[in-house]
Amino acid sequence: MISSDSIVALSSGRLPAGVAVIRISGPQSRFVVETIAGPVVKNRVAAYRKFRAPDGSVLDSGLVVFFAGPNSFTGEDIAEFHVHGGRAVVAKMLETIAGFDGVRHAEPGEFTRRAFLNGKVDLVETEALADLVNAETEAQRRFAVQNAEGVQSELYLGWRRRLIHARAMIEAEIDFADEDDVPGSVAETVWSDVRAMIDEIERHVEGFRAAEIIRDGFEVVILGAPNAGKSSLFNALARREAAIVTEEPGTTRDLLEVVLDLEGMRVRVTDTAGLRETPGRIEAIGIERARSKAGTADLLLVLEDMVDPIPIGAIPDDIPTLRIGTKVDLLQDGSLATRYDAVISTRDGTGLAELLAAICQRAATEIGQAGDVLPSRLRHVELLNEAKRFLLAAVAGDERGQELRAEELRLAADRLGRIVGAVDVEDLLDVIFSQFCIGK
């Protein structure tokens, strides 16, 4: 696709900064470069130039790099101006470049959208680029890099190629059954491979929970009676005074969340209201929210004051739980500590390192092997499940005839193609590219 207009945007980080990168893509890129930076800018070679507006006034000085299409990120001519990262400098550069005929400011994700439309990346790789830009932990970075390099796309395209081949074999048997070079039966080859593919898709879809944890975080919820030490533990994990801590019961009345980076994994820890049977009206709302949040957790930390234990009632029995004894520094009878999975003191730090290690181990177990190919979006899972449904119908349809079974294979291959954008996905593009920042 050849665009009729050019787009420009700041493609580097928040201003002010030491250096800012302004990117332009489209048919006007070379003219803009030659007007602002002067002629003879070699392809893919950085050059130090003085940047001037069309009226001859100096804008700044810095590096300019030109990438001739189609060998560029978008597939179009692209230029980058590396300027001083002051707000006034960047604003004047953007104003000047956007003042050229046929040049406008880019919309969010428009550079990557042009790369997709020009066949430089597929839809899964596009989504992976968004994940890479937003990555905050090492696990997120590794996951995004793997998908951006096409590993996930190759898996889906490989399945699609197998289905296209299977369909071709079936249709060949239907149309050319009398020919010597067409196998007499595809039952043992095609349908056994389709059954194997169903199992492969099922195992792949099961990995979506691990992908969710990598992208969104491992959810840890702290529960306990009032004054059990929940907010003190929350502050100790956050390493700051994120929650108010007092001796008055019911101080915490709403959900408080902090995001931790534990050994490269994103972990979300939520502090909740103390659970008790006779709360006030407002406190009761906080308790209800606490119990609701507990039902969606990946791990519960149920805290109990070992000096003055108070029961909190029923907790979800289908959520992994660590029972934590608190205030061990005040405990006189050490034998009580054996009732808990861990004992801690936020006052002197006892047990906190061991508790963090236990949380990391639980999160790592849920994520599994970092090298696994996992579905990274809910839309992938939905389309994979649709493809599996068509495949199940195909292998179970002996009485329906080979023509209808071949059509089920076509529909399954279509769903796999939609994941990577190999078939019509126009209705998805606005949603996907709206998640990008401007300049990417």
Side-chain angles (χ1 to χ4, degrees):
M1 185 198 76
I2 300 177
S3 303
S4 60
D5 56 355
S6 299
I7 53 175
V8 63
L10 173 67
S11 291
S12 52
R14 182 179 300 176
L15 302 176
V19 176
V21 179
I22 296 171
R23 175 188 284 175
I24 178 173
S25 177
Q28 292 295 95
S29 298
R30 184 181 292 275
F31 177 71
V32 170
V33 167
E34 292 178 347
T35 302
I36 292 179
V40 196
V41 174
K42 294 182 179 180
N43 184 40
R44 309 179 78 85
V45 176
Y48 179 78
R49 297 291 178 88
K50 192 177 291 292
F51 303 140
R52 298 180 182 273
D55 63 5
S57 61
V58 176
L59 300 169
D60 193 19
S61 58
L63 295 177
V64 59
V65 190
F66 181 76
F67 304 90
N71 298 319
S72 68
F73 172 66
T74 63
E76 305 172 331
D77 286 351
I78 282 186
E80 290 182 355
F81 296 94
H82 297 229
V83 300
H84 294 92
R87 290 189 176 91
V89 173
V90 171
K92 189 62 178 178
M93 286 289 295
L94 289 172
E95 176 189 338
T96 301
I97 296 172
F100 285 81
D101 290 339
V103 181
R104 60 175 175 81
H105 292 284
E107 297 176 357
E110 193 167 3
F111 286 91
T112 307
R113 183 169 188 153
R114 291 190 178 199
F116 168 72
L117 294 175
N118 289 326
K120 306 300 287 188
V121 293
D122 64 32
L123 212 52
V124 172
E125 292 167 343
T126 294
E127 292 167 325
L129 288 174
D131 288 341
L132 191 58
V133 170
N134 295 320
E136 297 177 345
T137 67
E138 176 60 16
Q140 290 174 331
R141 185 198 65 80
R142 289 197 305 266
F143 184 53
V145 166
Q146 182 184 50
N147 291 337
E149 291 180 343
V151 176
Q152 189 180 358
S153 297
E154 184 53 37
L155 176 65
Y156 301 148
L157 290 173
W159 284 336
R160 185 168 181 259
R161 286 192 294 268
R162 285 162 64 183
L163 289 180
I164 292 172
H165 173 73
R167 184 183 170 205
M169 292 291 291
I170 293 172
E171 292 182 349
E173 184 180 76
I174 295 170
D175 295 335
F176 307 106
D178 296 333
E179 299 292 334
D180 293 336
D181 58 347
V182 176
S185 173
V186 297
E188 294 302 320
T189 55
V190 170
W191 298 117
S192 62
D193 187 52
V194 170
R195 291 187 183 91
M197 194 182 306
I198 292 172
D199 293 337
E200 293 169 20
I201 291 174
E202 286 179 345
R203 290 194 298 270
H204 180 67
V205 168
E206 288 172 358
F208 180 58
R209 181 60 193 137
E212 281 189 308
I213 293 174
I214 293 173
R215 295 182 68 244
D216 301 329
F218 184 73
E219 189 82 46
V220 178
V221 175
I222 303 174
L223 296 178
N227 287 345
K230 299 183 303 302
S231 295
S232 295
L233 174 60
F234 183 75
N235 288 342
L237 295 177
R239 297 185 179 180
R240 59 185 174 88
E241 295 298 315
I244 299 174
V245 178
T246 72
E247 296 181 357
E248 180 181 343
T251 300
T252 302
R253 298 189 175 187
D254 207 347
L255 303 178
L256 301 176
E257 181 179 286
V258 65
V259 177
L260 308 179
D261 182 345
L262 299 182
E263 296 185 5
M265 296 175 291
R266 179 182 172 91
V267 176
R268 298 205 314 265
V269 180
T270 302
D271 186 20
T272 64
L275 306 181
R276 57 177 173 172
E277 296 183 356
T278 57
R281 183 171 61 88
I282 296 178
E283 189 181 350
I285 297 174
I287 291 174
E288 178 60 30
R289 291 180 178 176
R291 294 192 180 279
S292 176
K293 186 70 173 177
T296 63
D298 297 308
L299 177 65
L300 297 177
L301 302 182
V302 179
L303 272 58
E304 187 173 85
D305 183 346
M306 292 190 292
V307 178
D308 183 22
I310 300 174
I312 61 173
I315 61 172
D317 57 6
D318 58 340
I319 305 294
T321 300
L322 290 177
R323 297 191 175 273
I324 312 297
T326 63
K327 306 179 184 179
V328 66
D329 56 304
L330 303 178
L331 188 65
Q332 301 297 322
D333 183 2
S335 64
L336 295 177
T338 59
R339 300 187 304 183
Y340 303 96
D341 297 312
V343 294
I344 63 171
S345 169
T346 56
R347 179 172 296 179
D348 62 17
T350 299
L352 293 180
E354 291 78 7
L355 177 57
L356 278 172
I359 294 172
C360 284
Q361 192 274 331
R362 297 292 183 109
T365 299
E366 286 296 316
I367 290 174
Q369 296 297 320
D372 291 345
V373 181
L374 307 174
S376 56
R377 289 289 192 283
L378 179 59
R379 77 171 190 90
H380 302 171
V381 173
E382 292 172 345
L383 288 167
L384 287 167
N385 283 330
E386 287 185 28
K388 186 182 77 171
R389 187 173 70 250
F390 289 123
L391 295 180
L392 287 170
V395 298
D398 290 341
E399 72 287 349
R400 298 170 60 198
Q402 297 287 58
E403 294 88 347
L404 292 178
R405 300 176 78 184
E407 176 63 11
E408 299 286 3
L409 296 184
R410 186 193 69 79
L411 292 172
D414 173 81
R415 297 313 186 268
L416 294 173
R418 287 176 178 269
I419 298 178
V420 297
V423 295
D424 180 38
V425 289
E426 186 65 30
D427 55 336
L428 283 173
L429 299 187
D430 289 340
V431 174
I432 291 173
F433 289 106
S434 67
Q435 302 171 15
F436 282 75
C437 58
I438 294 174
K440 182 58 179 171

